[in-house]
Amino acid sequence: MTTDRPGPPPPHTAPGPGPARPPAPHSGPARPPASGADPAPPAVARRAPAGAAVLREDVTDAIRTAVFDELAAVGYARMSIEGIARRAGVGKTAVYRRWRSKLHLVLDLVQAFAAQGLPAPATGSLQGDVRALLEVASHALRHPVASQVIPDLLVEAVRNPEIAQAIRAALLDPQHGVAATVVRDAVARGELPERADVDRALDLIVGPLYWRLVVVRTEPAEGHAAYLDGLAAAAVAALTT
């Protein structure tokens, strides 16, 4: 049976309580470790962790740009990871390292756009708040993500509940919150009755603007600023009637 005990000393070893050990090479007086510290272990060369891919930010930005270009060119249904990778000048693996599928890639793009948010105006009057909200919404709806990508996703949302839920969470819910703030402040000032409906307010304020900028896509004849002034007056008149 094999054991971990040392065997008998070899014939040339002097008898004694145990085998003689060769003296350690002399290298000067031994230095005791610092108080309370363990002796330092021997230095071992460290290896970089295997499989830990470093995601370059410039590659991520190039892929996001390629997603937008691909969506604008072929739409969501025909968009492919291969086409995105080709536009970005990377391999498909670089895309899959960041997103599981084209759905998650597009949703990331929409959520990044929505994260910019619509600030709730606080001008001190319903007319001023509605006009300020229209100004900010107009700027957002002119963004390429809103004017080219979101309409295509709204079509896909009819067939894909995950897209519909993501669009609601990223876009509709924040806009509803802003409209609720405008209505609440107007009620507090006595400009609107307490029964004022937030959904109706949002439809009246942003609905015509979305129709003009995203669906019809024609510039108003009276100029953009005058058009927003007229929309604000019409929305306030409808809300206060």
Side-chain angles (χ1 to χ4, degrees):
M1 180 175 63
T2 303
T3 67
D4 293 330
R5 294 182 179 181
H12 63 273
T13 305
R21 296 182 180 180
H26 180 71
S27 59
R31 296 181 180 179
S35 176
D38 295 330
V44 178
R46 295 185 177 182
R47 298 179 59 187
V54 178
L55 302 181
R56 290 170 45 187
E57 192 63 32
D58 59 330
V59 173
T60 302
D61 291 341
I63 294 173
R64 285 197 174 106
T65 301
V67 172
F68 171 74
D69 292 340
E70 189 78 356
L71 273 171
V74 303
Y76 177 82
R78 295 175 56 194
M79 187 182 75
S80 66
I81 296 296
E82 291 82 358
I84 294 168
R86 184 168 55 251
R87 285 181 183 272
V90 300
K92 290 191 297 182
T93 304
V95 181
Y96 282 120
R97 281 198 189 107
R98 292 162 171 82
W99 297 278
R100 300 199 307 267
S101 66
K102 72 173 186 178
L103 171 61
H104 293 89
L105 214 166
V106 171
L107 294 181
D108 175 74
L109 184 70
V110 173
Q111 289 164 359
F113 166 73
Q116 301 171 16
L118 288 177
T123 65
S125 71
L126 178 60
Q127 178 80 26
D129 285 354
V130 170
R131 180 60 175 81
L133 180 56
L134 284 170
E135 185 72 40
V136 175
S138 171
H139 179 75
L141 290 173
R142 287 168 176 265
H143 191 283
V145 172
S147 61
Q148 298 184 39
V149 175
I150 291 177
D152 192 50
L153 290 181
L154 290 175
V155 174
E156 293 297 325
V158 177
R159 298 185 290 268
N160 191 320
E162 191 172 0
I163 293 180
Q165 182 179 1
I167 289 178
R168 172 169 291 279
L171 301 176
L172 302 184
D173 290 347
Q175 290 186 9
H176 189 276
V178 172
T181 300
V182 171
V183 170
R184 182 194 64 215
D185 292 348
V187 169
R189 290 189 298 262
E191 295 175 289
L192 288 178
E194 293 187 4
R195 65 180 185 278
D197 184 79
V198 174
D199 290 328
R200 180 168 177 262
L202 185 60
D203 292 344
L204 290 170
I205 297 171
V206 182
L209 186 65
Y210 183 88
W211 174 263
R212 166 72 70 170
L213 297 183
V214 179
V215 180
V216 179
R217 299 192 185 192
T218 58
E219 289 294 327
E222 67 269 38
H224 192 69
Y227 174 69
L228 295 184
D229 291 339
L231 277 185
V236 170
L239 289 171
T240 55
T241 299

